[in-house]
Amino acid sequence: MKVKPSESLKIDVFSMRIGDIQDVDLDRLHALSLSVGWPHRAEDWQFLRESGQGFVALDEIGRVLGSAMWFPHGADFATVGMVITSPRLQTLGAGQWLMKRVFDKIPGRDLRLNATRAARRLYLSLDFQPEKTVYQCQGIAHAERTGTETRGGIRILDATDIPAAIALDAAGFGVRRAALIEKLFGHSTGYGLFKDDKLIAFSLCRPFGRGHVVGPVVAEGDSDALAVVRPHVVDHSGSFLRIDTHMDSGEFAAFLSHAGMPVFDTVLTMSLGKRLADFAADGSATPRTYALASQTLG
């Protein structure tokens, strides 16, 4: 008698274990991000490992099937990022399993992250609250023929400008990120707008993914933000450039589109604990974060 073969075969019967992200070869982390279509190079992973902490999910033979990282700033706040699960595990609870282990490491902190569409349900289930859309603007940059007048002088930043940039970033972001800004200076070219020798706007640009990313950008208004972003567009005209911003209208948003960086995708800033408004400075003439350092770093 001929036995009819089963029409299904269960193949995902295995257990995962937690490992420290610092102990994993960069090529395996790079392969994980490639599996979900993220642009991070091995060098980008290394920068993140030097800036934060994290876990990986490993199978029984040591393959990396997931990751989650956190980046603490002070004792009360952290951003969360690089939460990745391989495609075959995305519906099996691996993301929540990793996130709960992150929570165990940073209990009581206010948290902020930027969620892809695929991950929003996960973060909502963990009580993260929606905040603002992030517009991922990217493309082959091209410089405008003419600039606009600025209300100060623009120059390339150097190490002596780090304290002023840290203070300006803290005013815009709502949290002091001294170690991160200092590290970004070591990997970036920066432009600052100065009025009476005081830094009033700045931008940093570094290699990332397919080309370069501009961020953070901190300024009091659109014209100041444009003044410090435009030089990067000139520097990288004809090359791939990316900016992640909450700005969806106005002069700054229009400039990005006209400069060859239209909106490519969106993610959603979400928070657990204090909301974005709780970190905002009072007053209309206060610095704002015009561009994120990255979706992972905020």
Side-chain angles (χ1 to χ4, degrees):
M1 184 178 180
K2 200 168 184 180
V3 178
K4 186 178 179 180
S6 171
E7 294 184 2
S8 64
L9 177 64
K10 195 169 186 178
I11 60 173
D12 277 322
V13 182
F14 62 88
S15 60
M16 291 188 297
R17 60 184 174 86
I18 283 285
D20 192 312
I21 205 165
Q22 305 292 344
D23 299 331
V24 179
D25 292 339
L26 282 174
D27 59 348
R28 290 196 287 164
L29 295 173
H30 186 214
L32 176 66
S33 52
L34 284 176
S35 74
V36 293
W38 289 14
H40 299 71
R41 307 166 303 154
E43 295 91 337
D44 301 324
W45 273 103
Q46 183 57 27
F47 179 90
L48 293 171
R49 291 203 305 185
E50 293 171 359
S51 304
Q53 303 171 60
F55 291 126
V56 288
L58 304 166
D59 70 6
E60 293 159 326
I61 59 173
R63 290 177 296 189
V64 179
L65 301 180
S67 65
M69 296 193 71
W70 65 94
F71 305 87
H73 303 291
D76 301 318
F77 179 85
T79 57
V80 175
M82 302 309 290
V83 181
I84 304 174
T85 55
S86 64
R88 65 173 173 158
L89 295 182
Q90 287 176 356
T91 60
L92 300 178
Q96 190 167 78
W97 184 68
L98 282 163
M99 283 296 297
K100 288 183 175 178
R101 276 146 186 81
V102 171
F103 290 163
D104 286 343
K105 285 292 185 179
I106 48 175
R109 288 178 185 258
D110 298 309
L111 303 179
R112 194 182 303 171
L113 54 76
N114 292 297
T116 62
R117 292 181 188 88
R120 288 174 192 175
R121 183 178 297 180
L122 164 65
Y123 298 127
L124 288 170
S125 74
L126 296 169
D127 295 327
F128 280 86
Q129 300 300 308
E131 295 281 7
K132 292 182 178 179
T133 299
V134 176
Y135 300 90
Q136 181 179 325
C137 302
Q138 63 184 50
I140 304 303
H142 55 81
E144 290 184 330
R145 293 181 181 179
T146 59
T148 57
E149 291 186 7
T150 65
R151 61 187 186 117
I154 297 173
R155 66 167 172 80
I156 293 177
L157 300 176
D158 59 38
T160 63
D161 300 306
I162 291 176
I166 289 171
L168 198 62
D169 176 75
F173 190 77
V175 174
R176 185 175 173 84
R177 303 188 291 177
L180 175 62
I181 297 301
E182 185 170 1
K183 187 168 184 60
L184 286 168
F185 259 71
H187 289 75
S188 306
T189 297
Y191 287 98
L193 176 64
F194 293 82
K195 184 177 181 181
D196 299 327
D197 293 326
K198 179 183 178 182
L199 182 68
I200 60 173
F202 80 92
S203 65
L204 300 179
C205 179
R206 69 189 188 280
F208 174 83
R210 295 171 56 188
H212 285 73
V213 63
V214 179
V217 177
V218 184
E220 291 181 4
D222 282 24
S223 60
D224 290 356
L226 290 178
V228 294
V229 168
R230 186 176 285 108
H232 295 302
V233 177
V234 173
D235 290 345
H236 298 285
S237 185
S239 301
F240 186 87
L241 198 60
R242 170 175 168 174
I243 296 181
D244 294 290
T245 179
H246 286 126
M247 306 301 167
D248 62 347
S249 61
E251 189 181 2
F252 185 79
F255 168 81
L256 297 182
S257 181
H258 294 156
M261 293 174 282
V263 176
F264 172 77
D265 200 1
T266 62
V267 296
L268 181 65
T269 299
M270 304 182 75
S271 61
L272 181 64
K274 287 184 179 180
R275 306 295 299 269
L276 280 180
D278 297 324
F279 292 97
D282 295 330
S284 58
T286 54
R288 303 168 66 188
T289 299
Y290 270 78
L292 311 184
S294 70
Q295 290 182 12
T296 293
L297 297 168

